[in-house]
Amino acid sequence: MKRRRYDFDLAQLLPVAVATTFAAVLTVLLTLGIQRASQLQSASSALQLASELRSLPQYFGTELTLVQRGLESRTFVGEPLQEIATARDGFDKALERIDAELLAAGLGSTVEIQRIRGALDAAWARFAPLLSAVTGHTGAPYADTLSGSRLNATGRALKGDVDAALAAQADSVRDVGGALKDLAAGLQDAVGDRGRSLRSFLLIGAAVAGLLLVLMLYFSLRSRRASADARRAERQVADILGTVREGLFLLDRNLSLGAVYSASLPRILHTDAVRDRAFEDLLRPLVPAKTLATAMKFVNLLWKEKVHEDLIDTVNPLNQIEVQFARSGGGTESRFLSFAFKRVKGGGAQGEHLLGIVTDITDRVQIARELEQSKADNQAQLDLVMQLLRVPFAQLQSFVQDADMALRKSNAILKQPGREATELRAKLNGVFREVHTVKGEAGALGLASIAARLHQLEESLAALREKSQVDGNDFIPVVVRLDELMSHLAGIGQFADRLAEVQPKGDTMRSIVPPLLANQVIGADAEPPLEQLLAQVVRDSAAAQGKRAALQCRGLQDIPPAYRKAVHDITIHMARNAVVHGIEAPEGRAAASKHDTAAVRVSFEQSGSEGYVLTVEDDGQGLPYERILDTALRKGLVSPADAARMERPAVYGLIFRSGFSTAEQVTEHAGRGVGLDAVSQTVRELGGSIGIATAEGKFTRFRMKLPRAETPAATHAA
Amino acid sequence: MNATRAHRLMIVDDSNVMRRKIERSQDIPNVEIVGTAGNGHEALALHAEARPTLVTMDLTMPEMDGIECVEQLVGRDPDIRILVISALADKATAIEALEKGASGFLCKPFTERQLNDALVKLIES
């Protein structure tokens, strides 16, 4: 990443560096060009001067000849002398100018030019003094005499000088002219050189300028592309941040959020105030103070160079946090969030930022929990199945029916009207008794799952019993638990039904579990399990009621297989009924001068050739004739007119009527109606009949006559 | 030949089973196990002698616990790399060990692979 920064800087600096270099080169080139141009100009001037001078030696000759002839003809020679003087001065001046131009043209030190220049000077130096001598005379050259003019001393001297000058003139033309010709040639070359050099500089300059233009175009193109790239990258980042489902944000060294974060972040955190906020402030409303402190410590660990970020993932306290958000419609909503943090690579050795990622993992957590729940449910189901398999099948079926009936009754008790405190309390007691009885049975059969549920229900009821004021609403949890219990029981019932399908025919009393698996049924043949079961039912029911009862059985081992199941179901029902509703509490029995342990008898006998008699009796309080009639009237089971005409046996028969065995009645101790309609129906289906004998305060006896079993009985009506 | 191995590992854990498990699991070629210690005091004594560069450190130990041991080891050798290996009962304790100078955390129970991956990262850190 450091390299990346370097590239970035270079990319910015390069055009500047190139432009500066090129400008310097161009300046140098132009300066040289200007110099060359001015040198060229000077060389040209020098050349021109030299060319002009070339005619001067000839001119001196002409003028000197004019002077000579004038002197001979004694004419005026002042004019040509003046010309010579002017021309000689001009030559000197021209030489000075040539020197100046040569210097300016950079030829002052050129060996060849200097040599030529030296030769010119030498030639001129030989000739110039002669000219000076010619022009140096003053005064008239002639002395006028009568015989005419003749040369005077000045004239003669002048003539001598002119002759000398003329004599040297040919040499001078050759020497001075030759030197000037060489100089002109040398200068020609120099002008050519300077011109070529100037052209070269201008060409190079043009090339450099062109190159600079191309480079500038390239850089400008590149920079435009780079800025277009940057804009595109910015747009893409914005797209990513706008689309990504996770809340992304950057934390600086102070653990503050910056201006860049994903659009999901405010949504996930349920707050719009995200920008430039301190992370701690953002987190504070979401987590407990302790978690907050730990979380801030954790995030700070990421700045520590020594800590490997992958190796501290597991201690992230924000890995999964449950947070509460206020719902718009009031109340709060529970969500699960997961925060993760990564060091942002680059931008300095240790990084300037941490990348924070927050995800709403509520769905994931819920699915995980559901999965766990379903695993637990499966395990519970498996446990239940194992429990159920250990229970002898017939006992299980009987239990399910009994329990179902008891729970339905409890439900009915809860549903019936009654808002008065005493009514509510009566309901409570009724349900409590039912529940307690079933719980005892479930415990006896080792059905832990049911027993646990019943126990919970009982706890709820017990808590209600403790309360001084009972309100209708207090029953709601009881109803809910009861409902759950009933559906659980229904599940067990379904399982029992399925078991029935796989039961070996004619062996319905046996558990499907091999004896080794189920200890209870070992030796089942020697001692009929029904008797054991009834003893248990009586014992448990009595204990639950605070009563004392003893069971006596006879002939139960002789029940033909076809009747085993039906008899089993009937006797369990009726034995419990006998304890719960038939017999009195010890104090009641004491008041009636009875033994405090009540007797419950169950017998199965062959009755001649036509069938069997099943008897269930108790030495309790007998059937309450008046109250049965009252109840039947209130329930509309009989009309008042019928009631007036009804015989006692018919009145007792009412307790077998469906709809009679209501909760209201059985909340009273004297009641008797726990599913008696179901018993009666079973007996009828078997083709039998039920007879009742009772004496108030003394006993109740049910005699069920069953026909001879021809075929194995159909499955007892469920 | 051991002298050529670049990293010297010390195992600190009060459980004998855990020490042996770490010893057996570790299979990074250039790591040499230079010793094991059952508590913080032993670890410090062993450190003086064996000069380990890497440490796996249990947190709950008798006599001197892991946090104090981390602090002292880092005090002696700031460059020492310590991997805390502990059950994830209390994240705050693990974070404290990291604040004291440990470099990473590995949660018990772990697989051989998790241990070796963690040691490689520890060497990198």
Side-chain angles (χ1 to χ4, degrees):
Chain A
M1 278 302 135
K2 211 171 171 185
R3 196 180 133 67
R4 176 88 191 81
R5 265 169 82 84
Y6 174 75
D7 285 349
F8 179 72
D9 286 347
L10 187 71
Q12 271 198 331
L13 280 177
L14 190 64
V16 178
V18 167
T20 312
T21 312
F22 272 68
V25 169
L26 272 178
T27 308
V28 170
L29 284 172
L30 284 176
T31 311
L32 287 173
I34 288 165
Q35 196 192 355
R36 283 294 181 281
S38 89
Q39 284 179 348
L40 180 65
Q41 196 180 11
S42 300
S44 299
S45 300
L47 176 62
Q48 191 167 356
L49 286 168
S51 303
E52 279 169 16
L53 287 183
R54 277 180 69 183
S55 58
L56 270 182
Q58 207 64 48
Y59 178 73
F60 283 126
T62 309
E63 292 302 317
L64 283 170
T65 311
L66 281 176
V67 174
Q68 191 181 44
R69 288 200 186 139
L71 287 176
E72 280 166 7
S73 57
R74 314 290 189 255
T75 54
F76 180 68
V77 295
E79 199 174 338
L81 280 174
Q82 188 60 46
E83 288 292 334
I84 287 166
T86 308
R88 191 208 57 214
D89 289 350
F91 199 103
D92 280 338
K93 281 203 183 93
L95 280 181
E96 276 170 33
R97 277 177 58 199
I98 283 172
D99 282 344
E101 296 293 4
L102 284 177
L103 211 62
L107 296 168
S109 55
T110 310
V111 177
E112 179 61 16
I113 297 290
Q114 282 308 307
R115 188 188 59 75
I116 296 167
R117 189 57 193 82
L120 177 60
D121 269 349
W124 179 246
R126 281 196 299 277
F127 189 53
L130 297 175
L131 291 178
S132 297
V134 169
T135 57
H137 299 281
T138 51
Y142 306 117
D144 288 336
T145 61
L146 289 177
S147 57
S149 288
R150 56 178 180 86
L151 291 173
N152 60 10
T154 306
R156 282 189 301 275
L158 176 62
K159 189 172 181 303
D161 287 342
V162 168
D163 289 344
L166 270 174
Q169 197 263 332
D171 287 349
S172 154
V173 166
R174 192 191 64 229
D175 294 346
V176 172
L180 280 170
K181 192 181 160 197
D182 289 349
L183 185 63
L187 285 172
Q188 195 79 51
D189 287 350
V191 165
D193 280 352
R194 294 295 182 275
R196 270 193 300 280
S197 154
L198 176 62
R199 244 190 334 271
S200 302
F201 283 129
L202 289 180
L203 268 174
I204 294 170
V208 168
L211 194 60
L212 180 61
L213 190 69
V214 170
L215 276 171
M216 286 299 123
L217 275 173
Y218 165 71
F219 284 132
S220 111
L221 214 68
R222 205 172 78 161
S223 117
R224 276 183 58 183
R225 208 162 47 214
S227 66
D229 282 352
R231 272 200 304 278
R232 204 167 58 229
E234 213 167 280
R235 218 163 38 235
Q236 284 168 353
V237 167
D239 286 350
I240 290 171
L241 289 178
T243 313
V244 73
R245 279 181 55 213
E246 287 79 9
L248 300 181
F249 54 93
L250 290 174
L251 290 178
D252 61 17
R253 283 264 172 188
N254 302 321
L255 300 186
S256 284
L257 274 77
V260 179
Y261 49 85
S262 68
S264 309
L265 184 67
R267 208 160 51 232
I268 292 174
L269 297 180
H270 287 65
T271 173
D272 288 330
V274 169
R275 194 186 174 119
D276 299 329
R277 284 278 296 279
F279 182 58
E280 193 169 3
D281 293 343
L282 212 54
L283 207 54
R284 188 169 288 118
L286 302 180
V287 297
K290 194 168 173 246
T291 311
L292 180 67
T294 318
M296 297 317 288
K297 279 184 187 174
F298 171 78
V299 176
N300 272 315
L301 285 179
L302 287 165
W303 297 121
K304 291 185 77 171
E305 199 179 344
K306 248 185 110 170
V307 170
H308 196 295
E309 61 179 333
D310 291 352
L311 287 179
I312 58 170
D313 269 354
T314 45
V315 293
N316 178 3
L318 301 177
N319 199 16
Q320 180 180 319
I321 51 171
E322 186 172 7
V323 297
Q324 304 291 331
F325 292 121
R327 231 196 279 263
S328 52
T332 58
E333 178 187 9
S334 178
R335 306 293 295 176
F336 287 90
L337 301 184
S338 171
F339 283 84
F341 302 92
K342 291 273 159 209
R343 288 171 180 153
V344 177
K345 303 274 171 13
Q350 257 306 290
E352 299 300 322
H353 286 104
L354 297 178
L355 173 66
I357 305 155
V358 55
T359 325
D360 188 324
I361 54 165
T362 310
D363 292 346
R364 204 168 79 199
V365 171
Q366 266 166 3
I367 287 169
R369 287 195 173 175
E370 275 164 24
L371 203 66
E372 227 159 87
Q373 182 61 49
S374 112
K375 258 194 217 163
D377 287 352
N378 285 344
Q379 188 57 46
Q381 206 129 33
L382 191 63
D383 291 347
L384 179 61
V385 168
M386 292 313 290
Q387 285 168 20
L388 295 179
L389 285 176
R390 287 203 176 90
V391 177
F393 173 67
Q395 287 183 25
L396 175 63
Q397 258 194 338
S398 152
F399 167 76
V400 169
Q401 278 162 6
D402 289 0
D404 186 52
M405 222 167 297
L407 295 179
R408 276 180 208 287
K409 203 158 71 194
S410 301
N411 205 23
I413 294 171
L414 290 171
K415 272 189 191 151
Q416 67 188 299
R419 297 193 173 281
E420 294 303 312
T422 49
E423 287 173 324
L424 291 171
R425 207 157 278 287
K427 279 189 191 185
L428 196 58
N429 289 335
V431 176
F432 192 84
R433 270 198 303 279
E434 294 297 333
V435 168
H436 191 84
T437 308
V438 182
K439 180 182 138 185
E441 259 183 81
L445 293 175
L447 297 172
S449 68
I450 293 238
R453 284 173 168 79
L454 284 161
H455 184 70
Q456 282 181 345
L457 184 54
E458 212 177 48
E459 297 273 287
S460 311
L461 291 165
L464 279 186
R465 282 224 280 214
E466 296 295 311
K467 287 181 81 168
S468 53
Q469 280 298 114
V470 185
D471 186 282
N473 288 338
D474 291 336
F475 281 88
I476 291 172
V478 175
V479 174
V480 171
R481 285 224 154 111
L482 189 61
D483 194 52
E484 199 265 334
L485 189 58
M486 283 170 86
S487 69
H488 185 68
L489 192 65
I492 292 177
Q494 282 168 6
F495 178 77
D497 288 347
R498 273 194 242 164
L499 267 187
E501 288 166 19
V502 297
Q503 281 293 304
K505 289 257 167 23
D507 193 17
T508 49
M509 286 301 287
R510 295 260 181 88
S511 164
I512 60 159
V513 180
L516 277 177
L517 270 176
N519 307 335
Q520 300 100 304
V521 289
I522 292 176
D525 289 338
E527 194 181 1
L530 178 57
E531 204 169 323
Q532 268 189 326
L533 190 64
L534 286 174
Q536 173 100 46
V537 167
V538 167
R539 195 163 56 240
D540 289 352
S541 308
Q545 300 278 321
K547 294 175 180 174
R548 299 174 73 171
L551 175 74
Q552 296 163 18
C553 294
R554 205 173 65 233
L556 296 186
Q557 67 275 20
D558 299 328
I559 302 167
Y563 283 136
R564 274 185 194 162
K565 186 167 147 42
V567 169
H568 175 270
D569 292 349
I570 292 167
T571 51
I572 286 184
H573 265 307
M574 300 196 77
R576 187 182 308 105
N577 268 356
V579 174
V580 175
H581 306 296
I583 64 175
E584 312 91 330
E587 52 271 29
R589 291 183 68 87
S593 309
K594 288 180 178 176
H595 196 281
D596 62 352
T597 301
V600 176
R601 294 186 197 89
V602 179
S603 66
F604 186 89
E605 299 161 293
Q606 189 149 0
S607 161
S609 56
E610 64 256 38
Y612 310 93
V613 175
L614 171 65
T615 310
V616 179
E617 63 181 312
D618 65 72
D619 65 346
Q621 56 206 340
L623 290 176
Y625 167 79
E626 306 281 337
R627 220 171 304 166
I628 292 170
L629 203 51
D630 279 357
T631 306
L633 277 168
R634 216 167 46 245
K635 294 275 158 193
L637 293 175
V638 291
S639 67
D642 287 343
R645 282 186 273 109
M646 274 175 97
E647 303 272 328
R648 273 194 176 243
V651 172
Y652 293 139
L654 288 172
I655 64 174
F656 294 112
R657 293 275 292 275
S658 160
F660 181 87
S661 60
T662 64
E664 185 193 63
Q665 192 191 18
V666 293
T667 54
E668 295 165 28
H669 287 282
R672 182 186 285 274
V674 179
L676 279 180
D677 58 335
V679 169
S680 136
Q681 195 186 345
T682 307
V683 171
R684 274 204 312 279
E685 278 170 9
L686 293 171
S689 62
I690 305 180
I692 304 170
T694 180
E696 213 156 329
K698 297 219 170 88
F699 74 95
T700 307
R701 180 189 305 129
F702 294 92
R703 279 168 61 88
M704 285 146 278
K705 290 184 179 168
L706 299 171
R708 182 153 215 85
E710 299 290 338
T711 51
T715 311
H716 165 50
Chain B
M1 110 172 223
N2 279 350
T4 61
R5 296 198 176 181
H7 304 284
R8 302 161 61 79
L9 174 65
M10 170 168 77
I11 298 166
V12 187
D13 199 306
D14 63 337
S15 152
N16 195 24
V17 175
M18 193 53 69
R19 286 202 301 270
R20 272 217 299 275
K21 173 171 178 175
I22 295 169
E23 259 181 298
R24 275 205 310 269
S25 302
Q26 181 308 106
D27 63 356
I28 302 167
N30 60 348
V31 170
E32 176 199 359
I33 295 173
V34 294
T36 64
N39 64 51
H41 289 303
E42 281 179 35
L44 292 175
L46 184 61
H47 174 265
E49 199 181 295
R51 293 278 152 206
T53 55
L54 302 176
V55 179
T56 71
M57 177 72 68
D58 187 18
L59 282 185
T60 45
M61 290 182 298
E63 307 223 14
M64 182 194 283
D65 69 15
I67 294 202
E68 197 186 334
C69 190
V70 166
E71 198 173 8
Q72 297 225 18
L73 285 176
V74 172
R76 290 186 188 182
D77 175 8
D79 292 330
I80 199 161
R81 294 280 183 265
I82 301 172
L83 179 68
V84 173
I85 300 185
S86 187
L88 195 59
D90 182 10
K91 289 182 179 184
T93 312
I95 287 173
E96 199 187 336
L98 290 160
E99 282 186 314
K100 299 275 192 223
S103 294
F105 179 85
L106 180 65
C107 181
K108 279 183 197 170
F110 52 84
T111 63
E112 259 180 46
R113 182 174 182 155
Q114 284 170 330
L115 175 75
N116 284 306
D117 283 354
L119 286 174
V120 167
K121 283 174 177 164
L122 187 70
I123 293 166
E124 279 171 12
S125 69

